[in-house]
Coordinates of all heavy atoms in Angstrom, one line a residue:
M1 N 1.8 -14.4 -4.2 CA 1.4 -15.1 -5.3 C 0.2 -16.0 -4.9 O -0.7 -16.1 -5.8 CB 2.6 -16.2 -5.7 CG 2.4 -16.8 -7.0 SD 2.4 -15.6 -8.4 CE 2.5 -16.9 -9.7
D2 N 0.1 -16.5 -3.8 CA -1.0 -17.2 -3.3 C -2.3 -16.4 -3.4 O -3.4 -16.9 -3.8 CB -0.9 -17.7 -1.9 CG 0.0 -18.8 -1.8 OD1 0.5 -19.5 -2.8 OD2 0.7 -19.0 -0.8
I3 N -2.3 -15.1 -3.0 CA -3.4 -14.2 -3.1 C -3.9 -14.0 -4.5 O -5.1 -14.2 -4.9 CB -3.1 -12.9 -2.4 CG1 -2.8 -12.9 -0.9 CG2 -4.2 -11.9 -2.7 CD1 -2.3 -11.8 -0.2
A4 N -3.0 -13.8 -5.4 CA -3.2 -13.7 -6.9 C -3.9 -14.9 -7.3 O -4.8 -14.9 -8.1 CB -1.9 -13.3 -7.5
D5 N -3.3 -16.1 -7.0 CA -3.9 -17.3 -7.6 C -5.3 -17.5 -7.0 O -6.2 -18.0 -7.7 CB -3.1 -18.5 -7.0 CG -1.9 -18.7 -7.8 OD1 -1.9 -18.4 -8.9 OD2 -0.9 -19.3 -7.2
R6 N -5.7 -17.1 -5.7 CA -6.9 -17.2 -5.1 C -7.8 -16.3 -6.0 O -9.1 -16.5 -6.4 CB -7.1 -16.9 -3.7 CG -6.6 -18.2 -2.8 CD -6.9 -18.0 -1.4 NE -6.3 -16.7 -0.8 CZ -5.2 -16.6 -0.3 NH1 -4.3 -17.6 -0.2 NH2 -4.9 -15.4 0.3
I7 N -7.4 -15.0 -6.2 CA -8.2 -14.0 -6.9 C -8.6 -14.6 -8.4 O -9.8 -14.7 -8.8 CB -7.5 -12.7 -7.2 CG1 -7.4 -12.0 -5.8 CG2 -8.2 -11.8 -8.1 CD1 -6.6 -10.7 -5.8
Y8 N -7.6 -15.1 -9.0 CA -7.8 -15.6 -10.4 C -8.7 -16.9 -10.3 O -9.6 -17.2 -11.1 CB -6.6 -15.9 -11.2 CG -6.5 -14.8 -12.3 CD1 -6.3 -13.6 -12.0 CD2 -6.6 -15.1 -13.6 CE1 -6.2 -12.5 -13.1 CE2 -6.6 -14.3 -14.7 CZ -6.3 -13.0 -14.4 OH -6.2 -12.0 -15.4
G9 N -8.5 -17.6 -9.3 CA -9.3 -18.9 -9.1 C -10.8 -18.5 -9.0 O -11.7 -19.2 -9.5
R10 N -11.1 -17.4 -8.2 CA -12.5 -17.0 -8.1 C -13.1 -16.7 -9.4 O -14.2 -16.7 -9.7 CB -12.5 -15.9 -7.0 CG -12.4 -16.6 -5.7 CD -12.7 -15.5 -4.6 NE -12.6 -16.1 -3.3 CZ -12.7 -15.5 -2.2 NH1 -13.0 -14.3 -2.2 NH2 -12.5 -16.1 -1.1
L11 N -12.2 -16.0 -10.3 CA -12.8 -15.6 -11.6 C -12.9 -16.7 -12.6 O -13.4 -16.7 -13.6 CB -11.7 -14.6 -12.2 CG -11.5 -13.3 -11.4 CD1 -10.5 -12.4 -12.1 CD2 -12.9 -12.4 -11.5
G12 N -12.2 -17.9 -12.2 CA -12.4 -19.1 -13.0 C -11.5 -19.0 -14.2 O -11.7 -19.8 -15.2
R13 N -10.4 -18.3 -14.1 CA -9.5 -18.3 -15.2 C -8.1 -17.9 -14.8 O -8.0 -17.5 -13.6 CB -9.9 -17.4 -16.4 CG -10.1 -16.0 -16.1 CD -10.6 -15.2 -17.2 NE -10.6 -13.8 -17.0 CZ -11.7 -13.1 -16.2 NH1 -12.7 -13.8 -15.8 NH2 -11.7 -11.9 -15.9
G14 N -7.2 -17.9 -15.7 CA -5.8 -17.3 -15.1 C -4.7 -18.1 -15.8 O -4.8 -19.3 -15.9
V15 N -3.6 -17.5 -16.0 CA -2.5 -18.0 -16.4 C -1.3 -17.5 -15.5 O -1.5 -16.5 -14.9 CB -2.1 -17.8 -17.9 CG1 -3.2 -18.3 -18.8 CG2 -2.0 -16.2 -18.2
H16 N -0.3 -18.2 -15.4 CA 0.9 -17.8 -14.7 C 1.2 -16.3 -14.8 O 1.5 -15.7 -13.7 CB 2.1 -18.8 -14.9 CG 3.2 -18.4 -14.0 ND1 3.2 -18.5 -12.7 CD2 4.4 -17.8 -14.3 CE1 4.3 -18.2 -12.1 NE2 5.1 -17.6 -13.0
Q17 N 1.4 -15.8 -16.1 CA 1.8 -14.4 -16.3 C 0.7 -13.6 -15.7 O 1.1 -12.5 -15.1 CB 1.8 -14.1 -17.7 CG 3.1 -14.8 -18.4 CD 3.0 -14.7 -19.9 OE1 2.1 -14.6 -20.5 NE2 4.2 -14.8 -20.5
D18 N -0.5 -13.8 -15.8 CA -1.6 -13.0 -15.1 C -1.4 -12.9 -13.6 O -1.5 -11.9 -13.0 CB -3.1 -13.4 -15.6 CG -3.3 -13.2 -17.1 OD1 -2.7 -12.3 -17.6 OD2 -4.1 -13.8 -17.6
T19 N -1.4 -14.2 -13.0 CA -1.2 -14.2 -11.6 C 0.0 -13.6 -11.0 O 0.1 -13.0 -10.1 CB -1.5 -15.7 -11.1 OG1 -0.4 -16.4 -11.7 CG2 -2.8 -16.3 -11.3
Q20 N 1.0 -13.8 -11.8 CA 2.4 -13.1 -11.4 C 2.2 -11.4 -11.5 O 2.6 -10.8 -10.6 CB 3.6 -13.5 -12.4 CG 4.8 -13.0 -11.9 CD 5.3 -13.3 -10.5 OE1 5.3 -14.6 -10.2 NE2 5.6 -12.4 -9.6
A21 N 1.5 -11.0 -12.5 CA 1.2 -9.6 -12.7 C 0.3 -9.1 -11.5 O 0.7 -8.1 -10.8 CB 0.6 -9.1 -13.9
I22 N -0.7 -9.9 -11.0 CA -1.4 -9.5 -9.8 C -0.6 -9.5 -8.6 O -0.6 -8.6 -7.8 CB -2.6 -10.5 -9.6 CG1 -3.7 -10.2 -10.9 CG2 -3.4 -10.2 -8.4 CD1 -4.7 -11.2 -10.9
A23 N 0.3 -10.5 -8.4 CA 1.1 -10.7 -7.3 C 2.1 -9.5 -7.2 O 2.2 -9.0 -6.1 CB 1.9 -12.0 -7.4
D24 N 2.6 -9.1 -8.3 CA 3.6 -8.0 -8.3 C 2.8 -6.8 -7.9 O 3.3 -5.9 -7.2 CB 4.1 -7.9 -9.8 CG 5.1 -8.9 -10.2 OD1 5.4 -9.8 -9.2 OD2 5.5 -9.1 -11.3
G25 N 1.6 -6.5 -8.4 CA 0.8 -5.3 -8.1 C 0.5 -5.3 -6.6 O 0.6 -4.2 -6.0
I26 N 0.1 -6.5 -6.0 CA -0.1 -6.5 -4.5 C 1.2 -6.3 -3.8 O 1.1 -5.4 -2.9 CB -0.7 -7.9 -4.2 CG1 -2.1 -8.1 -4.9 CG2 -0.8 -8.1 -2.7 CD1 -2.6 -9.4 -4.7
A27 N 2.3 -6.7 -4.1 CA 3.5 -6.5 -3.5 C 3.9 -5.1 -3.6 O 4.3 -4.4 -2.6 CB 4.6 -7.4 -4.2
A28 N 3.7 -4.5 -4.8 CA 4.1 -3.0 -5.0 C 3.2 -2.1 -4.2 O 3.6 -1.1 -3.5 CB 3.9 -2.6 -6.3
E29 N 2.0 -2.5 -4.0 CA 1.0 -1.7 -3.2 C 1.3 -1.9 -1.7 O 1.4 -0.8 -0.9 CB -0.4 -2.1 -3.4 CG -1.5 -1.3 -2.7 CD -1.5 0.1 -2.9 OE1 -1.0 0.6 -4.0 OE2 -2.1 0.9 -2.2
R30 N 1.7 -3.1 -1.2 CA 2.1 -3.2 0.0 C 3.4 -2.4 0.4 O 3.6 -1.7 1.6 CB 2.5 -4.6 0.5 CG 1.3 -5.5 0.7 CD 1.6 -7.0 0.8 NE 0.5 -7.7 1.1 CZ 0.4 -9.1 1.2 NH1 1.5 -9.7 0.9 NH2 -0.7 -9.7 1.3
E31 N 4.4 -2.3 -0.5 CA 5.5 -1.5 -0.2 C 5.2 -0.1 -0.3 O 5.7 0.6 0.5 CB 6.6 -2.0 -1.4 CG 7.9 -1.2 -1.2 CD 8.6 -1.4 0.1 OE1 8.5 -2.5 0.6 OE2 9.1 -0.4 0.6
R32 N 4.3 0.4 -1.2 CA 3.9 1.8 -1.2 C 3.4 2.2 0.2 O 3.6 3.3 0.7 CB 2.9 2.1 -2.3 CG 2.5 3.4 -2.4 CD 1.4 3.8 -3.5 NE 0.2 3.3 -3.0 CZ -0.7 4.1 -2.2 NH1 -0.2 5.4 -2.0 NH2 -1.9 3.8 -1.9
C33 N 2.5 1.2 0.7 CA 1.9 1.5 1.9 C 2.9 1.6 3.1 O 2.7 2.5 4.0 CB 0.8 0.5 2.3 SG -0.6 0.6 1.3
R34 N 3.8 0.6 3.1 CA 4.9 0.7 4.1 C 5.7 2.0 4.1 O 6.0 2.5 5.0 CB 5.8 -0.4 3.8 CG 5.6 -1.6 4.7 CD 6.8 -2.7 4.6 NE 6.1 -4.0 4.3 CZ 6.1 -4.6 3.1 NH1 6.7 -4.1 2.0 NH2 5.5 -5.7 2.9
E35 N 6.1 2.4 2.7 CA 6.8 3.7 2.7 C 6.0 4.9 3.2 O 6.6 5.7 3.9 CB 7.2 3.9 1.1 CG 8.1 4.9 1.0 CD 9.4 4.8 1.7 OE1 9.9 3.6 1.9 OE2 10.1 5.8 2.1
V36 N 4.7 4.9 2.8 CA 3.9 6.1 3.4 C 3.9 6.1 4.9 O 4.2 7.2 5.5 CB 2.4 6.0 2.7 CG1 1.5 6.9 3.6 CG2 2.5 6.3 1.2
A37 N 3.7 4.9 5.4 CA 3.6 4.8 6.9 C 5.1 5.2 7.6 O 5.2 6.0 8.6 CB 3.4 3.5 7.5
R38 N 6.1 4.8 6.9 CA 7.5 5.1 7.4 C 7.7 6.7 7.4 O 8.2 7.4 8.3 CB 8.6 4.5 6.5 CG 8.8 3.0 6.9 CD 9.9 2.5 6.0 NE 9.9 1.0 6.0 CZ 9.9 0.3 5.0 NH1 10.0 0.8 3.7 NH2 9.9 -1.1 5.1
K39 N 7.2 7.3 6.2 CA 7.3 8.8 6.0 C 6.6 9.5 7.1 O 7.1 10.4 7.8 CB 7.0 9.2 4.7 CG 8.1 8.8 3.7 CD 7.6 9.3 2.3 CE 8.7 8.8 1.2 NZ 8.2 9.3 -0.2
V40 N 5.4 9.1 7.3 CA 4.5 9.7 8.4 C 5.0 9.6 9.8 O 5.2 10.6 10.5 CB 3.1 9.2 8.3 CG1 2.2 9.7 9.4 CG2 2.3 9.6 6.9
I41 N 5.5 8.4 10.0 CA 6.1 8.2 11.5 C 7.4 9.1 11.7 O 7.5 9.6 12.7 CB 6.5 6.6 11.7 CG1 5.1 6.0 11.8 CG2 7.2 6.5 12.9 CD1 5.4 4.4 11.7
F42 N 8.2 9.1 10.5 CA 9.5 9.9 10.6 C 9.1 11.4 10.8 O 9.6 12.1 11.6 CB 10.4 9.7 9.4 CG 11.5 10.7 9.3 CD1 12.7 10.3 10.0 CD2 11.4 11.8 8.6 CE1 13.7 11.1 9.9 CE2 12.6 12.6 8.5 CZ 13.8 12.3 9.2
E43 N 8.1 11.9 10.1 CA 7.6 13.3 10.2 C 7.1 13.6 11.7 O 7.3 14.6 12.1 CB 6.7 13.6 9.2 CG 7.2 13.7 7.7 CD 6.1 13.9 6.7 OE1 4.9 14.1 7.0 OE2 6.6 13.7 5.5
A44 N 6.5 12.6 12.2 CA 5.8 12.7 13.5 C 7.1 12.8 14.5 O 7.0 13.7 15.5 CB 4.9 11.6 13.9
R45 N 8.1 12.0 14.4 CA 9.1 11.9 15.3 C 10.0 13.2 15.2 O 10.6 13.7 16.1 CB 10.0 10.7 15.0 CG 9.6 9.4 15.4 CD 10.4 8.3 15.2 NE 9.8 7.1 15.8 CZ 10.3 6.0 15.3 NH1 11.2 5.8 14.4 NH2 9.8 4.9 15.9
M46 N 10.1 13.7 13.9 CA 10.8 14.9 13.8 C 10.0 16.2 14.2 O 10.6 17.3 14.2 CB 11.3 15.1 12.3 CG 12.2 14.0 11.9 SD 13.7 13.8 12.8 CE 14.5 15.3 12.4
G47 N 8.8 16.0 14.4 CA 7.9 17.1 14.9 C 7.2 17.9 13.7 O 6.8 19.1 13.9
D48 N 7.5 17.4 12.6 CA 6.9 18.0 11.3 C 5.4 18.0 11.3 O 4.9 18.8 10.5 CB 7.6 17.5 10.0 CG 9.0 17.8 10.0 OD1 9.5 18.7 10.6 OD2 9.7 16.9 9.3
I49 N 4.8 17.0 11.8 CA 3.3 17.0 11.9 C 3.0 16.7 13.4 O 3.8 16.2 14.2 CB 2.9 15.8 10.9 CG1 3.5 14.4 11.4 CG2 3.2 16.1 9.5 CD1 2.8 13.2 10.6
D50 N 1.7 16.9 13.7 CA 1.1 16.7 14.9 C 1.2 15.2 15.2 O 0.9 14.4 14.4 CB -0.2 17.2 15.1 CG -1.0 17.0 16.4 OD1 -0.2 16.6 17.3 OD2 -2.1 17.3 16.5
S51 N 1.8 14.8 16.3 CA 2.1 13.4 16.7 C 0.8 12.8 17.5 O 1.0 11.6 17.9 CB 3.3 13.3 17.5 OG 3.3 13.9 18.7
D52 N -0.2 13.4 17.6 CA -1.4 12.9 18.1 C -1.8 11.7 17.2 O -1.9 11.8 15.9 CB -2.6 13.9 18.1 CG -3.8 13.4 18.7 OD1 -4.1 13.2 19.8 OD2 -4.7 13.1 17.7
L53 N -2.2 10.6 17.9 CA -2.4 9.3 17.1 C -3.7 9.6 16.1 O -3.7 8.9 15.0 CB -2.9 8.1 18.0 CG -1.7 7.6 18.7 CD1 -2.0 6.4 19.7 CD2 -0.6 7.1 17.7
R54 N -4.7 10.4 16.5 CA -5.7 10.6 15.6 C -5.3 11.4 14.4 O -5.7 11.1 13.3 CB -6.8 11.4 16.2 CG -7.9 10.4 17.0 CD -9.0 11.1 17.5 NE -8.6 11.2 19.0 CZ -9.4 11.9 19.9 NH1 -10.3 12.6 19.5 NH2 -9.0 11.9 21.0
S55 N -4.5 12.4 14.6 CA -4.0 13.2 13.5 C -3.0 12.3 12.6 O -3.2 12.3 11.3 CB -3.0 14.3 14.0 OG -3.7 15.2 14.7
I56 N -2.2 11.4 13.0 CA -1.5 10.6 12.2 C -2.3 9.5 11.5 O -2.2 9.3 10.3 CB -0.4 9.8 13.2 CG1 0.6 10.7 13.8 CG2 0.2 8.7 12.4 CD1 1.6 10.1 14.8
G57 N -3.4 9.0 12.1 CA -4.3 8.2 11.4 C -4.9 8.9 10.1 O -5.1 8.3 9.1
H58 N -5.4 10.2 10.4 CA -6.0 11.0 9.4 C -5.0 11.2 8.2 O -5.3 11.1 7.0 CB -6.4 12.3 9.8 CG -7.8 12.1 10.6 ND1 -9.0 11.6 10.1 CD2 -8.0 12.4 11.8 CE1 -9.8 11.6 11.1 NE2 -9.3 12.1 12.1
I59 N -3.8 11.4 8.6 CA -2.8 11.8 7.5 C -2.4 10.5 6.8 O -2.3 10.5 5.6 CB -1.5 12.2 8.2 CG1 -1.6 13.8 8.8 CG2 -0.3 12.3 7.3 CD1 -0.6 14.1 9.7
L60 N -2.4 9.3 7.5 CA -2.2 8.0 6.8 C -3.3 7.8 5.9 O -3.1 7.3 4.7 CB -2.0 7.0 7.8 CG -0.5 6.8 8.5 CD1 -0.8 5.8 9.5 CD2 0.4 6.4 7.5
D61 N -4.5 7.9 6.3 CA -5.7 7.8 5.4 C -5.6 8.6 4.1 O -5.7 8.2 3.0 CB -6.9 8.1 6.1 CG -7.4 7.0 7.1 OD1 -6.8 5.9 7.2 OD2 -8.2 7.3 7.9
D62 N -5.3 9.9 4.3 CA -5.2 10.7 3.2 C -4.0 10.3 2.3 O -4.3 10.3 1.0 CB -4.9 12.2 3.7 CG -6.1 12.9 4.4 OD1 -7.2 12.4 4.2 OD2 -5.9 14.0 5.0
R63 N -3.0 10.1 2.8 CA -1.8 9.8 1.9 C -1.9 8.4 1.2 O -1.6 8.2 0.1 CB -0.4 9.8 2.6 CG -0.1 11.2 3.0 CD 1.2 11.3 3.6 NE 1.5 12.7 4.1 CZ 2.6 13.0 4.8 NH1 3.6 12.0 4.9 NH2 2.8 14.2 5.2
L64 N -2.6 7.4 2.0 CA -2.8 6.1 1.4 C -3.8 6.1 0.2 O -3.9 5.3 -0.6 CB -3.0 5.1 2.4 CG -1.9 4.7 3.2 CD1 -2.4 3.8 4.3 CD2 -0.8 4.0 2.5
S65 N -4.7 7.2 0.4 CA -5.8 7.3 -0.6 C -5.4 7.9 -2.0 O -6.1 7.8 -3.0 CB -7.1 7.8 -0.1 OG -6.8 9.2 0.2
E66 N -4.2 8.5 -1.8 CA -3.7 9.1 -3.0 C -3.1 8.0 -4.0 O -2.6 7.1 -3.6 CB -2.5 10.0 -2.7 CG -2.8 11.2 -1.9 CD -1.5 12.0 -1.4 OE1 -0.4 11.5 -1.6 OE2 -1.7 13.0 -0.6
P67 N -3.4 8.3 -5.3 CA -2.9 7.3 -6.2 C -1.3 7.1 -6.2 O -0.7 8.0 -5.9 CB -3.4 7.7 -7.7 CG -3.8 9.1 -7.5 CD -3.9 9.3 -6.1
A68 N -0.9 5.8 -6.5 CA 0.5 5.6 -6.4 C 1.1 6.3 -7.5 O 0.5 6.6 -8.6 CB 0.8 4.2 -6.5
R69 N 2.4 6.8 -7.5 CA 3.1 7.4 -8.5 C 3.2 6.6 -9.6 O 3.4 5.4 -9.6 CB 4.5 7.8 -8.0 CG 4.5 8.9 -7.2 CD 5.9 9.3 -6.7 NE 5.9 9.3 -5.3 CZ 6.9 8.9 -4.5 NH1 8.1 8.4 -5.1 NH2 6.8 8.8 -3.2
G70 N 3.0 7.1 -10.8 CA 3.0 6.3 -12.0 C 1.5 5.7 -12.4 O 1.4 5.0 -13.4
Q71 N 0.6 6.0 -11.6 CA -0.7 5.4 -11.8 C -1.7 6.7 -12.1 O -1.5 7.6 -11.5 CB -1.3 4.5 -10.7 CG -0.7 3.2 -10.4 CD -1.3 2.5 -9.3 OE1 -2.2 2.9 -8.7 NE2 -0.9 1.3 -9.1
P72 N -2.7 6.4 -12.9 CA -3.6 7.5 -13.3 C -4.5 7.9 -12.0 O -4.8 7.1 -11.2 CB -4.4 7.0 -14.4 CG -4.2 5.6 -14.5 CD -3.0 5.2 -13.8

């Protein structure tokens, strides 16, 4: 919520509903990133993907750059 308040503060406007929507969006994106990382780490442990750190980094970059489900 603090991050959302700072973003809206820089824009010079904002209401509680707007800052709450931004905070919810930030929290959802953090959770999506965590879930992607968990899946990639699990796949590496199971041997489903190359466990070389550079490969994992590229896979994470690719998957994190994909739009979240439900977003255009």
Side-chain angles (χ1 to χ4, degrees):
M1 189 67 165
D2 291 338
I3 295 169
D5 284 332
R6 284 195 303 272
I7 290 169
Y8 250 69
R10 286 187 180 183
L11 295 174
R13 61 184 186 276
V15 296
H16 179 70
Q17 291 172 330
D18 291 339
T19 55
Q20 186 61 51
I22 292 169
D24 291 345
I26 291 168
E29 181 62 11
R30 284 181 177 169
E31 182 56 34
R32 184 185 78 84
C33 292
R34 263 190 232 105
E35 188 59 33
V36 167
R38 283 184 196 126
K39 286 180 182 178
V40 170
I41 290 167
F42 177 79
E43 290 174 12
R45 286 182 177 157
M46 298 305 291
D48 294 340
I49 60 172
D50 185 358
S51 61
D52 175 82
L53 288 178
R54 275 185 255 170
S55 297
I56 291 172
H58 290 296
I59 292 166
L60 282 170
D61 285 344
D62 289 343
R63 292 190 188 177
L64 289 172
S65 66
E66 295 172 358
R69 285 181 235 145
Q71 290 183 357

